[in-house]
């Protein structure tokens, strides 16, 4: 009687507890985005619309075309990527840091929620916000120039990889941030320059050979070109190579997060 094995039902209850905790975290992140939509959704949409108007309509007519496409058609894929990158990054970094600052992250750490589900729960906010913004920007872009997707599957895959990659990067920023100013440092001094130098407004083919080689170290270049290929069928780099590089980077960053969470770096005091 004393050596009786635990009943399998206990494992089921543990799984249900995990799923309830995960659902609650995802719901919290989603409600947060929707509740304050004038801060989470509207600014990115308005800013990108101005890019369409200024660079596409006013300046684009003077520039001409790239690879057989009007300038506005050429930059639309990159302009859709821009807000998806920034919103996914800032959403996760600010949300996770707020949990640290308010000291409620400790409640999640002592809960039965598995680290994988904890991470995915926070990433879900960045991914959902990124997809919403990307969808709205895509709809608005059709006002300025019709989009005929060359490969819809590549478009969906690239949008998903972009949201996941920069949500993970934002999570790492949130872990290391010690004050609210630390959240703005990376987007301002690293992320923004990488976006503008990532082939959003130009093709790297027009650059000198040295700067073409330097540009290949910019991960955003690969994402922009993958998305541009999905929309227009043109790219400055090999799509298979670009997808492989993005998947490898995501895998490395995911492993980094797991190690940081397990060791409690930037979380435990």
């Amino acid at each position: 009687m004393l050596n009786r094995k635990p009943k399998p039902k206990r494992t089921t209850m543990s799984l249900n507890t995990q799923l309830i905790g995960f659902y609650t975290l995802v719901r919290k992140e989603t409600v947060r985005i929707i509740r304050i939509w004038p801060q989470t959704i509207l600014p990115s949409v308005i800013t990108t619309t101005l890019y369409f108007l200024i660079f596409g309509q006013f300046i684009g007519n003077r520039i001409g075309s790239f690879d057989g496409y009007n300038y506005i058609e050429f930059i639309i894929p990159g302009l859709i990527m821009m807000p998806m990158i920034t919103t996914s990054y800032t959403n996760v970094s600010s949300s996770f840091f707020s949990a640290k600052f308010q000291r409620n992250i400790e409640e999640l750490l002592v809960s039965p929620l598995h680290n994988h589900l904890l991470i995915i729960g926070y990433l879900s906010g960045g991914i959902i916000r990124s997809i919403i913004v990307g969808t709205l920007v895509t709809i608005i872009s059709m006002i300025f120039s019709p989009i005929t997707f060359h490969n819809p599957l590549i478009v969906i895959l690239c949008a998903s990889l972009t949201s996941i990659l920069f949500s993970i990067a934002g999570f790492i920023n949130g872990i290391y941030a010690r004050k609210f100013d630390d959240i703005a440092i990376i987007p301002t001094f690293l992320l923004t320059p990488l976006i503008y130098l990532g082939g959003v407004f130009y093709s790297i083919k027009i650059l000198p050979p040295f700067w073409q080689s330097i540009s290949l170290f910019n991960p955003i270049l690969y994402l922009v070109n993958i998305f541009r290929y999905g929309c227009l069928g043109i790219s400055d780099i090999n799509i298979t190579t670009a997808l492989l590089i993005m998947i490898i980077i995501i895998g490395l960053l995911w492993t980094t997060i797991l190690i940081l969470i397990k060791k409690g770096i930037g979380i435990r005091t």
Side-chain angles (χ1 to χ4, degrees):
M1 296 292 292
L2 296 177
N3 295 326
R4 182 181 300 173
K5 295 181 180 180
K7 296 180 180 180
K9 188 177 179 180
R10 294 179 65 87
T11 304
T12 304
M13 291 177 62
S14 177
L15 176 61
N16 290 336
T17 302
Q18 296 276 338
L19 293 177
I20 291 172
F22 174 69
Y23 167 77
T24 302
L25 186 56
V26 172
R27 184 176 181 274
K28 178 184 77 71
E29 291 297 304
T30 305
V31 170
R32 172 180 174 269
I33 294 170
I34 297 175
R35 184 178 58 195
I36 56 174
W37 64 269
Q39 301 176 32
T40 57
I41 305 297
L42 195 58
S44 298
V45 174
I46 292 177
T47 301
T48 310
T49 302
L50 292 175
Y51 278 115
F52 287 138
L53 187 62
I54 296 173
F55 288 94
Q57 294 294 104
F58 299 158
I59 300 178
N61 294 332
R62 298 175 179 269
I63 293 178
S65 62
F66 276 93
D67 293 329
Y69 289 92
N70 293 332
Y71 186 64
I72 187 170
E73 294 175 322
F74 180 82
I75 66 174
I76 278 178
L79 290 178
I80 295 174
M81 283 283 97
M82 282 179 58
M84 294 186 68
I85 291 171
T86 55
T87 53
S88 58
Y89 187 98
T90 55
N91 189 87
V92 179
S93 61
S94 61
S95 179
F96 188 77
F97 178 76
S98 296
K100 285 173 51 181
F101 182 78
Q102 297 168 4
R103 310 290 292 184
N104 57 45
I105 189 61
E106 298 173 355
E107 299 176 2
L108 287 174
L109 293 176
V110 300
S111 71
L113 191 64
H114 195 277
N115 287 343
H116 288 279
L117 295 179
L118 170 65
I119 295 170
I120 296 174
Y122 273 102
L123 297 186
S124 66
I127 295 170
I128 292 171
R129 179 177 171 183
S130 175
I131 296 300
I132 292 175
V133 170
T135 301
L136 292 176
V137 171
T138 301
I139 294 173
I140 292 175
S141 70
M142 294 180 181
I143 300 174
F144 297 91
S145 178
I147 299 179
T148 55
F149 295 105
H150 173 74
N151 192 325
L153 291 178
I154 293 294
V155 170
I156 295 173
L157 178 60
C158 181
S160 302
L161 290 177
T162 300
S163 304
I164 294 171
L165 173 59
F166 288 96
S167 292
I168 295 175
F171 196 102
I172 294 176
N173 188 182
I175 288 177
Y176 279 105
R178 295 183 176 274
K179 53 184 181 297
F180 282 103
D181 291 341
D182 294 340
I183 298 176
I185 290 176
I186 299 298
T188 302
F189 295 102
L190 181 61
L191 198 57
T192 300
L194 288 177
I195 290 174
Y196 284 104
L197 298 175
V200 173
F201 298 100
Y202 59 88
S203 169
I204 64 169
K205 295 177 181 178
I206 67 175
L207 300 177
F210 173 77
W211 290 108
Q212 288 187 33
S213 301
I214 294 297
S215 297
L216 295 178
F217 290 94
N218 185 352
I220 295 178
L221 174 71
Y222 297 93
L223 291 171
V224 170
N225 276 275
I226 294 171
F227 200 77
R228 183 171 287 139
Y229 175 81
C231 293
L232 306 178
I234 58 174
S235 174
D236 293 334
I237 54 181
N238 183 273
I239 297 302
T240 303
T241 302
L243 288 171
L244 182 60
I245 290 174
M246 290 300 102
I247 292 172
I248 291 174
I249 293 176
I250 289 174
L252 292 174
L253 292 180
W254 178 267
T255 303
T256 301
I257 288 180
L258 287 175
I259 294 173
L260 294 175
I261 292 292
K262 184 176 180 180
K263 293 186 175 181
I265 297 176
I267 300 174
R268 298 172 185 169
T269 57

